[in-house]
Amino acid sequence: GEDVEQSLFLSVREGDSSVINCTYTDSSSTYLYWYKQEPGAGLQLLTYIFSNMDMKQDQRLTVLLNKKDKHLSLRIADTQTGDSAIYFCAESIGSGGYQKVTFGTGTKLQVIP
Amino acid sequence: DAGVIQSPRHEVTEMGQEVTLRCKPISGHDYLFWYRQTMMRGLELLIYFNNNVPIDDSGMPEDRFSAKMPNASFSTLKIQPSEPRDSAVYFCASSLEGTGTDTQYFGPGTRLTVL
């Protein structure tokens, strides 16, 4: 079955890099996502990676996927106070048509000025 | 487009009362999702609709919960009777299609407190 796990909390200093980790159990995942939730708001898609890719970079964000270990990470370079939020890892499963998305429990990132 | 709109933003009610949460998806989106977020259980998918038809309601916790989508621009999630353990943030999300590259756009959520 689907299960997506993340650590609950991460604290970093402004300017340092943040690495948020996620593990998933379903090897048939097709896409893996990172969503960001700011206080009082809904989730917003940050980036996604197709399951046959190892890495994707988008400005300050780097996503690494280790499909063998079912491990996904999000690296934020030069972390800013505006990056403080909850980050959700998610996976989609299915082929063609609707793909069910399962979210992790979220990692709260605290950036210390 | 204004994005996904949810109302009310906050709801405080007493145990036993009926609660109705409302959602207006982004125009043209074929899929609508209702989620519940709590500290203990994280983000849970309650139900989703495709073209106004409920497809999967396996996440609905019990018969006290019901959801409808009478047309493409409106959906409701009703809890009757409400209980304190229903206290959570309820999110509505919509997407254009259901494929993997398709983004789910979330509303701001309704924070429900049942006393």
Side-chain angles (χ1 to χ4, degrees):
Chain A
E2 318 102 21
D3 195 13
V4 181
E5 295 189 353
Q6 304 176 235
S7 54
L8 291 179
F9 189 76
L10 176 66
S11 180
V12 299
R13 293 207 172 274
E14 189 175 18
D16 288 349
S17 293
S18 307
V19 180
I20 303 171
N21 295 301
C22 168
T23 57
Y24 58 97
T25 56
D26 199 314
S27 58
S28 61
S29 299
T30 48
Y31 289 90
L32 294 121
Y33 312 84
W34 284 104
Y35 279 80
K36 177 183 181 182
Q37 183 184 26
E38 296 184 352
L43 280 68
Q44 183 178 20
L45 181 68
L46 277 180
T47 186
Y48 67 87
I49 187 169
F50 189 47
S51 59
N52 68 353
M53 296 171 62
D54 298 325
M55 185 183 87
K56 181 178 181 181
Q57 187 154 1
D58 183 2
Q59 298 182 350
R60 293 190 298 120
L61 305 179
T62 303
V63 178
L64 295 177
L65 175 60
N66 181 329
K67 198 170 183 180
K68 174 177 170 290
D69 294 338
K70 301 189 187 69
H71 182 265
L72 183 75
S73 68
L74 173 69
R75 179 177 181 270
I76 305 173
D78 187 24
T79 312
Q80 303 297 306
T81 54
D83 296 325
S84 293
I86 302 175
Y87 290 81
F88 290 86
C89 168
E91 62 173 348
S92 70
I93 300 164
S95 57
Y98 173 69
Q99 297 191 357
K100 180 181 178 181
V101 178
T102 300
F103 289 85
T105 51
T107 299
K108 185 172 184 178
L109 174 65
Q110 179 187 44
V111 182
I112 303 167
Chain B
D1 200 311
V4 175
I5 299 172
Q6 290 186 248
S7 64
R9 291 296 310 276
H10 303 273
E11 176 80 35
V12 180
T13 191
E14 292 188 343
M15 183 174 64
Q17 297 297 306
E18 177 181 294
V19 175
T20 300
L21 311 181
R22 297 172 176 81
C23 174
K24 182 182 186 315
I26 293 173
S27 176
H29 282 193
D30 289 340
Y31 285 82
L32 183 139
F33 309 85
W34 281 101
Y35 290 91
R36 178 172 68 176
Q37 184 180 36
T38 61
M39 289 291 291
M40 293 297 293
R41 300 173 69 92
L43 194 66
E44 303 171 276
L45 176 64
L46 300 177
I47 186 171
Y48 80 89
F49 295 81
N50 177 215
N51 292 324
N52 313 340
V53 177
I55 303 300
D56 183 358
D57 65 354
S58 59
M60 296 284 262
E62 48 198 276
D63 292 345
R64 297 185 296 106
F65 286 69
S66 62
K68 294 182 180 179
M69 192 165 185
N71 57 63
S73 59
F74 184 66
S75 176
T76 59
L77 178 68
K78 186 175 292 187
I79 308 172
Q80 166 64 15
S82 58
E83 297 182 3
R85 61 191 167 120
D86 302 330
S87 297
V89 180
Y90 291 81
F91 288 102
C92 176
S94 70
S95 67
L96 188 60
E97 301 170 347
T99 58
T101 55
D102 192 31
T103 302
Q104 288 190 26
Y105 292 85
F106 281 74
T110 295
R111 182 174 293 276
L112 173 65
T113 303
V114 183
L115 303 174

